[in-house]
Amino acid sequence: MVVNESLHHTVQTYLRTLYPDHDPTELAHKVLKVMRLENTHQAPRPHQNHWTEKDCVLISYGDSIIERNRKPLATLLDFVQQHLGNNVSVVHLLPYFPYTSDDGFAVLDYYQVNDSLGDWQDIEAFGNHYRLMSDLVINHCSSRSGWFNNFRQGLSPGKDYFIEIDSDWDLSKVIRPRTNALSQTYRCNDGERQVWCTFSRDQVDFNFANPEVLLEFISIIRFYLDKQTSVFRLDAIAFLWKTPGTNCLNLTNTHRIIRLLRLLIEHANPAAWVITETNIPNRENLSYFGNANEAHGIYNFALPPLLLHTLLSQDCSHLRNWSMSMPPAQNGTFFLNFIASHDGIGLRPVEHIFSATEVDELIETVQQSGGLVSWRNLTQDQVKPYEINVSLFDALARTHHSEDSYQRQRFLCAHTIMLSLEGIPAIYIHSFLGTQNDYDKVQHSNHNRSINRHRWQLSRLQSLLQHKEAHHGDILAQINALISIRRQQSAFHPNATQFTLQLGNHVFGVWRQSIDRKQSIFCVSNVTSKPQRLSLSELNLIETNLWHDLLSQQDLNADNGVINLAPYQSLWLSN
């Protein structure tokens, strides 16, 4: 078949460049056999948007909600169906494999489900009701995995799967996301070896210069596809390829491997998505779109710190300027917009946006709300803030200058802005629930990120959701209401036009227009604790009777051509 010949040729081209010392024809045959694509008759059409305004991602651990005598995955699925329904279309189950540390990101066995969560039937059940998003923890695995045990004993598979550091290598330029030593010593059968560990001693990096490692992960991808995964999150992918003497971040071969994996995944399932997780400065992050041939989606990593800064400083100038500078995603690609996740609020994406003083002020304010800070190495003797660790609800408890009673309004304003932006929204389960800082989990795990990885007892959570004085039920209802409205608006398609409005530093706004140009929505938000006046002339609105606020379900009511915005109030004005 012509399609097979074309696919085989393209795969060979990638492999010839990645592995010049190996036979590309033989390697390509192995790759296509592992992916079961030898006889495929389907090929993906380029620049297709397999997503709409109805898409929204839920991010959750498999055991974020637990109850006695029941598998957590089954409990979670019931909760999602009951309380979120079709307001979410994609469920991102954070690593659900056996692991030894980092809440799942030090994987022991990629082919098993952690039996404390459930089994493969429970995983597939999510895929039967929603799009299932699974993590491909591709940069590293647990130091106690079977593969690394084999490495230490000189056995296959595994003996060539990891990177043994040569003392002559120049590693001075390597960019670090942590403060631990890059080189870790392990006792092996033939003596001590120095092994590359980007993130922790328990997370040993794979050697993708060995094609057998690539083949192993292609096998894992095929297995996950068979288990109902249709969205792949490539974890820590920016660190994948290592070349001594370079910074070992975003290297060309890393991009080549992503293009190859997307090619294979799309041929296996043309509607599948590949999403890259790259917590790096904004310009570098954008490079992972390639020419619409790498990631379908990239995490909008600059958005969480920008929105947090906007609402704590009560000044949207950085958010506005960033929004103006962002290129629209091509058809076939999208931004994944989020403001909270299982990780912290990363500061690397805004290193060239915030001043040192602004970073310090942001950190100080969040620390006053109980937040923590994680650091990374710049040099052997110098560290720099890497991320803020805090639950989003608590992060918005106060502004830079004072405490007030607007925490809930700030929290909902942040989500309203996020839901209005170009791209697909992704909401952490603890944002849906207004979960607060978990200090017990931090103390137990000795891990700052645990502060935002609370585990709810279902009975306790249900009680709070029904309690009128607690904020949890109100937060859940209001975010659900926002998503329900968003799902019905064609102007909120992930690839619909977006223009940033010039409304000063206290009101943030964007104009969205549907792909068919039939619907426009002006999304404006007061980002301060003071009332703000907005002139309709700033929105170029003249015929006020044609406009309707989707959020309040009221026709536009302007007094002398001016809209009065209450503290943290948002409007979605649609025609």
Side-chain angles (χ1 to χ4, degrees), residues 195-343:
V195 177
W196 193 301
C197 296
T198 296
F199 291 93
S200 77
R201 177 173 171 78
D202 189 38
Q203 292 166 298
V204 285
D205 286 40
F206 287 110
N207 178 19
F208 270 87
N210 175 5
E212 292 302 316
V213 174
L214 176 66
L215 284 167
E216 189 72 65
F217 272 89
I218 290 170
S219 173
I220 292 167
I221 288 169
R222 178 67 262 180
F223 183 73
Y224 292 177
L225 283 165
D226 292 340
K227 298 298 185 182
Q228 300 296 322
T229 293
S230 60
V231 183
F232 290 84
R233 176 185 182 271
L234 306 188
D235 176 65
I237 189 69
F239 300 93
L240 190 75
W241 196 277
K242 284 82 170 174
T243 301
T246 73
N247 65 8
C248 298
L249 190 71
N250 311 315
L251 298 189
T252 300
N253 278 350
T254 293
H255 287 278
R256 289 189 177 114
I257 286 178
I258 297 169
R259 291 198 291 272
L260 173 60
L261 295 183
R262 170 170 171 164
L263 178 76
L264 297 171
I265 289 168
E266 280 193 324
H267 273 81
N269 178 359
W273 307 351
V274 173
I275 300 177
T276 50
E277 188 265 333
T278 49
N279 188 0
I280 51 179
N282 198 50
R283 183 176 296 180
E284 298 168 36
N285 191 30
L286 289 169
S287 71
Y288 282 85
F289 278 143
N291 185 24
N293 62 349
E294 286 191 38
H296 296 91
I298 63 171
Y299 278 77
N300 225 340
F301 269 108
L303 183 59
L306 279 165
L307 257 179
L308 185 61
H309 172 271
T310 294
L311 292 164
L312 298 192
S313 69
Q314 304 183 79
D315 181 337
C316 67
S317 55
H318 281 319
L319 179 64
R320 182 186 64 246
N321 294 338
W322 167 82
S323 178
M324 290 173 58
S325 71
M326 288 292 282
Q330 296 184 53
N331 282 330
T333 65
F334 63 86
F335 294 107
L336 190 72
N337 295 324
F338 74 108
I339 45 179
S341 74
H342 62 292
D343 285 341

Side-chain angles (χ1 to χ4, degrees), residues 505-558:
N505 292 343
H506 297 150
V507 177
F508 177 76
V510 294
W511 170 55
R512 302 296 307 279
Q513 185 180 55
S514 60
I515 292 171
D516 62 10
R517 299 191 177 182
K518 291 182 179 179
Q519 185 188 28
S520 287
I521 303 178
F522 289 90
C523 309
V524 296
S525 296
N526 177 1
V527 300
T528 78
S529 58
K530 306 293 184 186
Q532 300 294 328
R533 289 165 59 85
L534 177 65
S535 170
L536 292 184
S537 62
E538 296 181 81
L539 300 178
N540 290 323
L541 293 186
I542 301 173
E543 298 291 338
T544 60
N545 61 319
L546 297 178
W547 296 88
H548 178 79
D549 177 25
L550 298 169
L551 299 180
S552 66
Q553 297 297 308
Q554 306 265 327
D555 290 333
L556 179 58
N557 182 14

Side-chain angles (χ1 to χ4, degrees), residues 51-54 337 417-425 485-499 510-523 547-548 550 572-575:
W51 43 82
T52 72
E53 60 275 8
K54 297 185 185 301
N337 295 324
I417 292 173
M418 188 262 286
L419 287 164
S420 72
L421 297 176
E422 175 195 347
I424 295 175
I485 294 168
R486 185 187 188 279
R487 295 181 74 249
Q488 305 306 316
Q489 317 308 320
S490 57
F492 283 144
H493 186 284
N495 297 92
T497 298
Q498 174 175 305
F499 287 105
V510 294
W511 170 55
R512 302 296 307 279
Q513 185 180 55
S514 60
I515 292 171
D516 62 10
R517 299 191 177 182
K518 291 182 179 179
Q519 185 188 28
S520 287
I521 303 178
F522 289 90
C523 309
W547 296 88
H548 178 79
L550 298 169
W572 285 351
L573 300 174
S574 176
N575 60 336

